[in-house]
Amino acid sequence: MDWVHLLYYCGLMSLLVVKIHGAKLSLPPMELLKSSLCPTLDTNVYENSLPSGAKDAGEYEVVEGAKDLESCVENCCKNEICNIAILHDENCINLVCKDSASCTRTNSTLAKMVVVREVGTSMDAEWLKDRKIRNNITHMESKSSDALVHSSTKAHGRYCEYGIPGNCGENEECVTYNDKRRDGQCQCKEGFQFDENSKCEEIKLVEAASLLETTTVRNVLTNTSTSALTNASSSNSYTNSSTLSTTTSPTESPIEKLIVKINNKTVHLQKGLNTIDSPVPLAAYAIGDVDFKYHWISLSTPKDGDKATISDAYSQTVTLSNLVEGVYVFKVTVQAVGAYGEAVGNITVLPPVHINKGPVAMIEPATQSVKLPNSGVILDGSGSSDDDAVTEYHWEIVTGPLGYKLTDQTGSTLQLTDLVPGNFTIMLRVQDKEGLEDSATAQITVIKEPDYPPTANAGGDQIIYLPKKEIVLCGNASTDDHGIVEWEWTKGPEDSGQAVDMQDTRTAFLHLSNMVEGHYQFTLRVKDAAGQSSTASVHVYVQKPSLTPPKANAGEDVRLVLPNTTTILDGSHTLDAVSTTHWLWKQLRGPNKAHLLTSNLAKVNVTGLTKGDYVFSLTVWNGEDSKKNSSDEVTVHVIQDINVPPKANAGGDFSVVLPASVVRANGSNSVDDVAITKWLWERDPNSLAAGTVISGSDHSPVLMLTDVVAGRYLWRLTVWDAQGAASTDTVSIIVKEDSHQYDEVELVIGADISSLSQSQLTNLCQELQLLLHKDNDISITLLTVNGLTHSEEIRLTFLAYSNGKIVSGPEVASSLRHQLNSDSSQLLDIPVLSVDTVICQNNCSGHGECVQATRECRCHTWWMESFTRRHMGDGVPNCDWSVVYVFVGSCFSMVLTSLCIWLVIALVTKRFLTNVRPRRKPPRYSLLDNQEDGVKSKLRVPSNLLDSGSDSDSDAEVLLDLRKGKHRNDKQRNGYHKLQRIRT
């Protein structure tokens, strides 16, 4: 049966039940959910129930935040494929059944179950809401439910297009799915129903109503159709109320359908407010002249709309307040005597009405002047404003020098570069998101920079003494605001006319040579890029050699106070000194060798002074004849008013990583006001004792240690000055283990270190690489090569690399041992004695520790080495055997061996001694004759004693020695058994 018709017929039956019982039309919460969101919902709540399939019933989802049944059912309704909603201890579970058998109801405690959709049902709530279903009682068959299903299915089997005649048959009309669609299905007109031949025929209302009443009453009494009635009641909210009609009993008139309409409202929030506080009315209208009863129900509210208030819910016009932005959906039901109708309406609250205002463009600065060479300007348009936001910026040149273009025309700022002289008018256009624009302009004036003429400078006048004949004149002190582009040297008008060779006359430096005694004038002319020029003159005087040497003056004696150890020696006051004067400073005496930074200038710096008196001499001469000179001496007194003790500096804490051949601690940064005279490095008591001081470095500024191990070293440095003042500082040296120490491989070969050449070592490394290449592309890096003490053996350590990464040491050692065992045990005719990792990594079977020096295992108590594995297996030291197990096994073996030996002896003895007759002893007694009655009577033995064969320990009784078994070698004689000897 089609779901639309089924809901429609169920709705008729629900209304009839309400009419029969006189109940008022009202919707409980579950029915309200059914009417507003979930038309397929079974409103029955099955207490203490679960699907029979449990977890295997289908796919399920635990819904977070749904703590009650209504929220759980609502989440299931929103999921189009959800079938059952289950609430168990405030845990909501939505179940999608895999089949109907798995979702049958079964008893379970503390669980509630609601059937939202039957298995296989797929309905679109919005489609059902908009679907127009004719309230036609004639859609029901009056004979049986099978006919009802048959006719309903046929009624929805033909599709049509609304408004085109001829699409449907006689007494049929085209009904669209909703108001916005033109396609639909053919249905019988009011008062007609489909028969078995899919033709619409008129039916009698009395028969249909009678059938409906009878069926409804029976369902109510038997409680078998409660779910269908509830579904029908809630599904009425999705039908069009203007077309709904019901039937009553055959004796009553049918319920009149009311046309109910609601005028939907649309209101706007006021600017700056989030709610509408003023009342908003919503009115419903029903056609008729009778008194109607109204009932308003809220179907949905927007988010955060639960604070809205409603008044007059039972009147024609309902009043709402405290509305927020969104859509409020309401349903109104209208009742009267013999009439019923309903409608759905809404109030839409929109945001405040926005009146767009155009943007306002603004440029900062609006006017500005730029003087070259400054050729960059920034215009800021970010001050432009809009009531919402400026979305676009566009810059353009209104007026400007020809050929100048903008590099970037968008963005809130504009950067102009490489400006040329002239006037610029720049416009900015701004636009908001609705397309409104505004513009502003800015004025830029670019002023050309004035070009000033250059200033020539040929340098100062010069004087030289023969035999010197060359000099260089420097004109590089000439200046121009834009730079000099042209230089020109010429002889001046005041020149004496003497001959001279001039070179580099078009540069800033004029080279003069072959000069003679006399007076020379030279003129320098410079020109800038604009053609402006300037001139300057310089005089050069060439004179005869000076016959008298200058008079040296080394200056006044200098007095220094420590810790100042630097001074300046000044000989510039020497008389008759000219440009050709030669200067020579020397140290004559002093407590140490001072350092003269330069010795051939008039002024020199002297450093490295200490306490005491220093004497320096100055020698000066002119020309090339150094013998015509004069000298002067100056004394520098270095004194110490207060002795400042030295300050030791051990160099600061640091760390090194093994392997490290030498560890150095630098204390040379220790200082003193005069000088440090003594150094001493001492090991702290808390320091590691390992490490050897070499070259007596513990009495020098730099301490050098070798043979260090991983750990912390503490050394204390003490320094003394000449006055005995001392200072101490401590340095901490952290020696860290090599991060790759477990990957270092040790190779011991039988050769003498004194006979191993570099080429042999290189070839040996190459052969090692070739051996390791058989397994992988491996390269090796040699770390150390040294000879073992008191033996002709060489120890090599290396690391193996594969694709730039270090290969595991045990892996390399194992691979190399395998290659050497399979190929040969020699490298380049040198026997290989052992291959192993530098650090022993044998775990000794987990029952001992590896001794690094011997590579043997020191086993724990009650554990010992496996003899078979060590001497007949892989030869690796181990602790495989338990002492207890070995002792027990040994004892058991000894017992078993003894038992085997005894068994062999017993078998041999039994085999060889079986046929040997044992030697009989001579009898001690003989049988008595019958005639010896007297004696026989005296030795009369009771018969019971002979029969029992028992012995007696009494001296008075005759002991009868009866053997328990007859020897197999004993034979019967004369048909009589041999009697046992009788002991008396």
Side-chain angles (χ1 to χ4, degrees), residues 382-396:
S382 61
S384 303
S385 61
D386 185 67
D387 55 349
D388 188 4
V390 177
T391 58
E392 293 185 11
Y393 295 85
H394 181 75
W395 299 85
E396 60 183 43

Side-chain angles (χ1 to χ4, degrees), residues 631-737:
S631 300
D632 190 22
E633 295 181 357
V634 61
T635 302
V636 177
H637 304 280
V638 182
I639 62 175
Q640 184 180 21
D641 293 341
I642 300 174
N643 181 34
V644 178
K647 185 176 182 181
N649 186 349
D653 299 342
F654 63 97
S655 61
V656 295
V657 179
L658 294 176
S661 57
V662 178
V663 177
R664 293 178 175 85
N666 189 0
S668 59
N669 291 327
S670 304
V671 295
D672 184 64
D673 56 346
V674 178
I676 296 176
T677 59
K678 183 180 178 182
W679 309 77
L680 178 62
W681 293 88
E682 295 176 306
R683 196 188 301 261
D684 191 270
N686 296 323
S687 173
L688 287 176
T692 304
V693 179
I694 61 174
S695 303
S697 58
D698 54 344
H699 291 83
S700 66
V702 179
L703 174 69
M704 293 184 291
L705 294 174
T706 60
D707 300 329
V708 294
V709 297
R712 184 168 182 257
Y713 292 84
L714 291 175
W715 285 87
R716 185 169 56 252
L717 171 64
T718 305
V719 295
W720 290 268
D721 62 7
Q723 284 74 29
S727 175
T728 302
D729 189 23
T730 304
V731 61
S732 173
I733 306 172
I734 304 297
V735 180
K736 300 180 180 179
E737 292 283 1

